[in-house]
Structure formats: C-alpha cells, structure tokens
Amino acid sequence: SFLRSSIKNPNHRSQTQSAHLGFFRSRPENPIPIPTFLPTMCPIEQQKKNNAAMRQQGDSPSCSTSSTASFGSSRESPLLILKVGTSSLMLSDTDGFRVNLANLARLVDTIASLKRDGYQVVLVSSGAVGMGCIKLGMTKRPTDVRTKQAVAAAGQSHLLRLYEDLFGALKLQVAQLLINQSDFLDKDHWQSVKSTIHECLALGVVPIINENDSTNTAEMRFGDNDNLAALTAVQLEADALFLCTDVDYLYTANPRTDPNAKALRVVDEPWALQVDTSAEGSGMGTGGMATKILAARTASTAGIPCGLINGQHTDRVFSFLKSGMTKSQEEDSADVSPNSMGAEEPYGTLFLPMNQDGGICHTRRWILSLPASASVSVNEACARQLAGRGSLLPQGIEKVQGSFEKNDCVKLMHNGTEIGR
C-alpha cells in the first residue's frame, strides 16, 4: 500500500507510513564495510547531551508519540537490564547438572546492592531447561523439542523458587514474566507488558524475565535470551544493558585456543566489529559470543551502552557504573568517559552507543523488536535519501526478497548492509 501511494504521489507520506518505516540505520549481523553516509557511533558523553536535548524537545517529530508518555524521560532512577545465562547458573560434569550456587548468590547480592544504590534492575534469566534436568534427574540436555518444552516447564518453577528464596533472604521480592516473540508483534499488547514491568519496578519488585520455552514454537522463538535482553532494554528505554558470559572480556579470537587473542576493553563501533566467534560455547545454553555481539549491536542502535562481564563476577557491574556509564542528566555536560575522569576502565568490554539524532520514539523501538518478514534492497541514491530520513520511492528499489503484507516488518538493505527497517 505504501508503494501504491508513493506512485500516485511521490511526496506523500502519511503519519502511519512514516512510523512503519522506522529508520534505525542499523548494520548487518556480519561485519562489512560501512557506507560513509551512515551515522557513526558517539562517545557516552555526547549521547548524554543528545538524550538531554531529546527530553527537552520530545521524541522525534517524524514519529507520533501522543498515545503514551515516555517511561525513560519520567524515570528518576537509572534502569539497568542484567542478563544471565545458563552457563553462569549451572555446572555440568559426567554426573549431570547442578546449580552453581555461588554464582547465583553473588548475582542476587549484586542486584540487591544495585537497588540499595538507587538503581532499578530487570533480570533476564535463562536456566529453565537446565533446572528441569536437575529436577527430573536427567544427565544430558534434551534435544527433542517436545521433551525440551516439558523439561522447561518443570524447571521454570524450580528456577523461580531459588530466586524467591535468595532474594527473600535479602528482603526483596521478585515477579516472573514469561515472554514470547508474539508479545512484541502487537504494539498495544507489548505496551501492556511494558506497563506491567514498570509497575513492578514502582512497587520495588525485581522483574525476572525469561522466554516461555514451554509453549514457544520455532517460529515465535527469540533464539536466545541475549536477543530478548537487548530488545527488553530497547523497549524499556534502559540506561544500560549488561550481558554475562564465561570470559572476562570480548577477545579478537577464542583465548582458550588462540594465544594471540587480544582483549577488547572498549568497542567504539559495535556494528563495524570484526572478531572470530566461530568457537563453540559452553553447550549448556543456546547462545554464545556471536549472539552477545548481536545483542550489543541492537542496544547500541537504540543509543544504549552495553557491558560484557564475567558471570562469575557479576559485581564487576559496578566498575562500569563508576566509569560514568549512566551519569545523571545534571552531569550531561561533563565528560564522563573513563579516561577523562581518571577512573579505571571497566572490568569487562564496553560497547558504546550509537548517536541517535532526535532519539527513537516508541514506534521505532517497537519496529526494532519485530521479526523481519522480508528485505528490500535499494540503490545508493535511495540509501542516502533514507539516511537523511527521506521517502522510500519505487525507483530506488533494486530487489525484494521474501514476501510481506501490510504492517509487516521489512529490512532495508544496501550492498548487503541493513540500513533501516
């Protein structure tokens, strides 16, 4: 329908059509040379200035925001999204699985400390299948889909009970939210989910989010909780995202097999990052370093800094916060980079956010979380026009892959690079 209206009147773009275009100017999963006309990353201090200007002026004028108020702009306490995977919660040997109680207790204590320091925290936690294996006495992770769903159903209650007991010992309460990708498909429905999460935070409750592995179909799966955590951070307009892994830093190659692997402490441009992520992960979870890099890129696209930390030392989150990762708006004008403050660099890898001129409104955040039904490749002239927030005209389209209907999410590609949605 958009193409038809463009043919009739190339200069006409209705408000709905503009919102559905939602240009994020994101970059591809596989790193390739980036077109010079695309925006570059910005330091955290510049991002803070952009956020302050956005809060004074409201959301981007090209996107309607009248239906809902911005949670991020009215939030007084910084909001952190912390994702922990199965490899951080579980141990595995020849006798089967067992809970890594030391890591789990340290995680809970870290979140309790963050809340005492005035932060709001949303925990995205994997581990339902692993806990189900312990509960049912299974020594190997199931591979059959139906069996895996049943094991996840048994393990999710066991996982939440552990969280309930540990958080309860520190006088904190938790709430469980099991989310499917279908929850993101309907904008009004996802707004209801967001409202529930924010109300939990207002009540002082720690929301614990996990993918609903017991009922999800292959088509509706996020694939891994790294992706779910990144999308949650984008939708909640979080101040920072932290991803737990089983190494101290992101390395140029697998440090366990390559002695020449170098640690990357700060990644200025996550979308231009080129590292070897071919090595297999722990085998206990569904993600790996590749999925964490993709999650960091997603958060960066929305202007959210992302920290990669070792899951055995979740208290390293504080090294990121001390470096000025989430400075208050009153300090926006100050240089908050670790070097300028004389502070030590974070104990982990920091992915800097992309500059968002004008910010991202609710509709564009929603579009970023949708699964893409197809892709539309455009020529260079059209790509330049889109980068300047111009219209998508039929003469700029080179190729269409896949099929889509009205209100489906479509990737906009140029030379193999995703430049928008």
Side-chain angles (χ1 to χ4, degrees), residues 107-161:
L107 168 68
V108 172
D109 186 63
T110 298
I111 294 176
S113 297
L114 287 169
K115 288 184 66 64
R116 286 194 297 269
D117 289 346
Y119 292 94
Q120 294 181 328
V121 182
V122 173
L123 175 62
V124 179
S125 175
S126 304
V129 176
M131 290 295 178
C133 290
I134 294 177
K135 187 175 183 178
L136 302 177
M138 303 175 67
T139 58
K140 293 183 178 180
R141 185 182 178 93
T143 56
D144 177 72
V145 174
R146 298 304 179 193
T147 304
K148 189 183 296 184
Q149 289 177 325
V151 172
Q156 185 62 44
S157 59
H158 191 51
L159 177 64
L160 187 65
R161 189 178 70 180

Side-chain angles (χ1 to χ4, degrees), residues 1-7 12-13 17 21 391-393:
S1 62
F2 170 72
L3 294 181
R4 293 194 195 99
S5 63
S6 299
I7 294 172
H12 171 71
R13 294 175 69 213
Q17 291 160 350
L21 285 177
S391 299
L392 173 62
L393 302 179

Side-chain angles (χ1 to χ4, degrees), residues 380-394:
E380 182 171 348
C382 184
R384 290 181 180 275
Q385 187 169 346
L386 295 177
R389 300 194 183 278
S391 299
L392 173 62
L393 302 179

Side-chain angles (χ1 to χ4, degrees), residues 227 230-231 234 271 293-304 368 421:
N227 184 32
L231 296 179
V234 171
W271 289 99
I293 293 175
L294 183 58
R297 288 168 174 168
T298 300
S300 173
T301 300
I304 301 173
L368 182 59
R421 293 194 179 186

Side-chain angles (χ1 to χ4, degrees), residues 108-301:
V108 172
D109 186 63
T110 298
I111 294 176
S113 297
L114 287 169
K115 288 184 66 64
R116 286 194 297 269
D117 289 346
Y119 292 94
Q120 294 181 328
V121 182
V122 173
L123 175 62
V124 179
S125 175
S126 304
V129 176
M131 290 295 178
C133 290
I134 294 177
K135 187 175 183 178
L136 302 177
M138 303 175 67
T139 58
K140 293 183 178 180
R141 185 182 178 93
T143 56
D144 177 72
V145 174
R146 298 304 179 193
T147 304
K148 189 183 296 184
Q149 289 177 325
V151 172
Q156 185 62 44
S157 59
H158 191 51
L159 177 64
L160 187 65
R161 189 178 70 180
L162 284 174
Y163 279 127
E164 286 270 11
D165 292 342
L166 291 172
F167 276 105
L170 298 177
K171 299 181 179 181
L172 290 175
Q173 302 302 319
V174 299
Q176 175 181 257
L177 291 92
L178 299 179
I179 295 179
N180 300 318
Q181 195 174 65
S182 58
D183 293 323
F184 286 87
L185 297 181
D186 182 80
K187 188 179 178 182
D188 293 334
H189 178 63
W190 176 243
Q191 186 60 46
S192 177
V193 175
K194 286 203 299 183
S195 298
T196 300
I197 296 174
H198 281 283
E199 191 62 30
C200 287
L201 294 172
L203 294 172
V205 176
V206 178
I208 301 178
I209 299 176
N210 193 6
E211 184 170 8
N212 195 348
D213 293 322
S214 60
T215 60
N216 262 359
T217 61
E219 294 78 12
M220 287 291 101
R221 284 188 57 80
F222 289 98
D224 58 86
N225 272 357
D226 295 319
N227 184 32
L228 173 58
L231 296 179
T232 300
V234 171
Q235 292 295 327
L236 297 181
E237 302 179 53
D239 294 277
L241 167 67
F242 292 98
L243 304 173
C244 294
T245 183
D246 56 358
V247 292
D248 292 329
Y249 300 95
L250 171 66
Y251 293 85
T252 55
N254 187 349
R256 297 187 178 95
T257 59
D258 188 348
N260 297 320
K262 296 180 180 179
L264 301 176
R265 292 178 176 268
V266 179
V267 179
D268 296 322
E269 297 187 353
W271 289 99
L273 183 64
Q274 298 189 42
V275 294
D276 181 9
T277 59
S278 59
E280 295 184 358
S282 64
M284 288 188 287
T286 58
M289 190 57 70
T291 63
K292 289 173 176 57
I293 293 175
L294 183 58
R297 288 168 174 168
T298 300
S300 173
T301 300

